[in-house]
Amino acid sequence: MIVEKPTILICNDDGVNAPGLRYLIETVSEFGNVIAVAPADHRSGQSSAITIGEPLRIVRHADIGKAEVYSVSGTPVDCIKLALHTIVAGRKISLMLSGINHGSNAGNCVVYSGTMGAAMEACMQGIPSIGYSLLNHSWEADFSQCAPFVKEITAAVLKKGLPHNVCLNVNIPAHCTPKGLKVVDASEGFWTEEYVEYKDPQGVPFYMLSGRYVDKNPEADNTDSYWLDRQFVTVVPVTVNPTASDKIPIVRQILEK
């Protein structure tokens, strides 16, 4: 009896030409039939944004190994929605992977991340989903330390699945051989949200986002930031249901007369 390989859908937010996307495709191709659908250009920080009122176009690119590769002229979430509607319509998707992102998605970065936006969209569609990120923004980043952990986590989720409405946010430390893997909470923090002012040739000011992430409790040993600093890969389970169900009684007491 011939057993058909699972179909794995891959996306990212760095764009179809990002080295991290190619590395992820090459790393997981042994697990199934891979189809990559990624933004045509860089779409970091797009979170779960979708395109409204503008046409979306699909372009077929050269295969990477045996993997089909497409780009979409939209956001990471557009890629997932349009892929499920057209490119892989009618096919069972066993797993959706996003990344490997160039840069961290630890802590509250998950709120802004296009990488995790794609993973969360697929999760809402009932597909087990994982977002992978390497803590290195360089286009020349070395992804080789990612492979053992990407393979281990991907194989485990393919075999055992994930809880309903839960996807995984995986962050991998850079410039080291990770010491192991920790399943933890996301660190609680905030961005300083600083902006640098420049002036265009006409003297009109414009602004570029800068700032840094501030961990509110850097010594808490149950968070991703803590263990990433100690050269461990971190896995944070992320729920796509934003309802704070356990706080409903408290809000009722506040609002009800």
Side-chain angles (χ1 to χ4, degrees):
M1 182 179 67
I2 298 175
V3 178
E4 185 176 351
K5 285 186 174 182
T7 297
I8 301 172
L9 178 62
I10 290 182
C11 187
N12 74 347
D13 71 357
D14 291 313
V16 70
N17 296 313
L21 179 73
R22 173 177 287 272
Y23 191 86
L24 181 59
I25 293 170
E26 294 173 343
T27 301
V28 303
S29 288
E30 65 185 82
F31 296 112
N33 299 312
V34 173
I35 300 173
V37 185
D41 52 15
H42 195 274
R43 292 298 185 113
S44 290
Q46 295 283 283
S47 186
S48 292
I50 57 175
T51 299
I52 299 175
E54 296 180 15
L56 294 173
R57 304 186 188 280
I58 300 172
V59 175
R60 177 74 184 264
H61 293 255
D63 292 355
I64 297 177
K66 294 182 179 180
E68 297 177 26
V69 180
Y70 302 83
S71 67
V72 170
S73 59
T75 70
V77 171
D78 287 331
C79 292
I80 299 301
K81 286 181 172 292
L82 197 53
L84 295 176
H85 182 74
T86 59
I87 299 169
V88 297
R91 298 179 63 172
K92 181 181 184 300
I93 306 301
S94 299
L95 185 65
M96 186 270 155
L97 305 178
S98 189
I100 297 173
N101 186 61
H102 291 249
S104 172
N105 274 315
N108 70 355
C109 290
V110 68
V111 174
Y112 311 103
S113 168
T115 301
M116 287 306 298
M120 294 173 73
E121 178 63 29
C123 179
M124 287 191 290
Q125 300 288 341
I127 303 169
S129 304
I130 309 167
Y132 289 110
S133 300
L134 175 69
L135 275 63
N136 189 332
H137 287 278
S138 172
W139 216 242
E140 287 74 42
D142 179 9
F143 288 91
S144 60
Q145 68 266 41
C146 301
F149 296 94
V150 169
K151 289 183 178 182
E152 176 186 350
I153 296 167
T154 298
V157 173
L158 267 174
K159 182 179 180 180
K160 301 178 182 178
L162 287 170
H164 177 64
N165 273 348
V166 170
C167 57
L168 302 182
N169 181 18
V170 180
N171 282 273
I172 302 167
H175 312 300
C176 69
T177 300
K179 298 176 180 177
L181 182 150
K182 298 285 186 179
V183 180
V184 291
D185 292 324
S187 61
E188 185 177 353
F190 60 93
W191 285 89
T192 57
E193 304 294 8
E194 297 171 0
Y195 289 82
V196 179
E197 181 178 321
Y198 302 90
K199 290 187 178 180
D200 66 18
Q202 287 72 43
V204 179
F206 66 92
Y207 302 86
M208 297 291 291
L209 180 64
S210 179
R212 60 187 178 86
Y213 182 72
V214 178
D215 190 344
K216 288 185 178 180
N217 189 4
E219 297 306 314
D221 63 0
N222 65 331
T223 71
D224 51 5
S225 294
Y226 178 93
W227 287 108
L228 286 165
D229 286 345
R230 287 154 180 80
Q231 300 183 347
F232 280 79
V233 173
T234 61
V235 180
V236 175
V238 176
T239 178
V240 298
N241 182 351
T243 306
S245 299
D246 61 326
K247 299 299 187 290
I248 288 177
I250 298 173
V251 176
R252 282 177 177 157
Q253 290 179 1
I254 293 171
L255 298 181
E256 292 178 354
K257 296 180 180 179

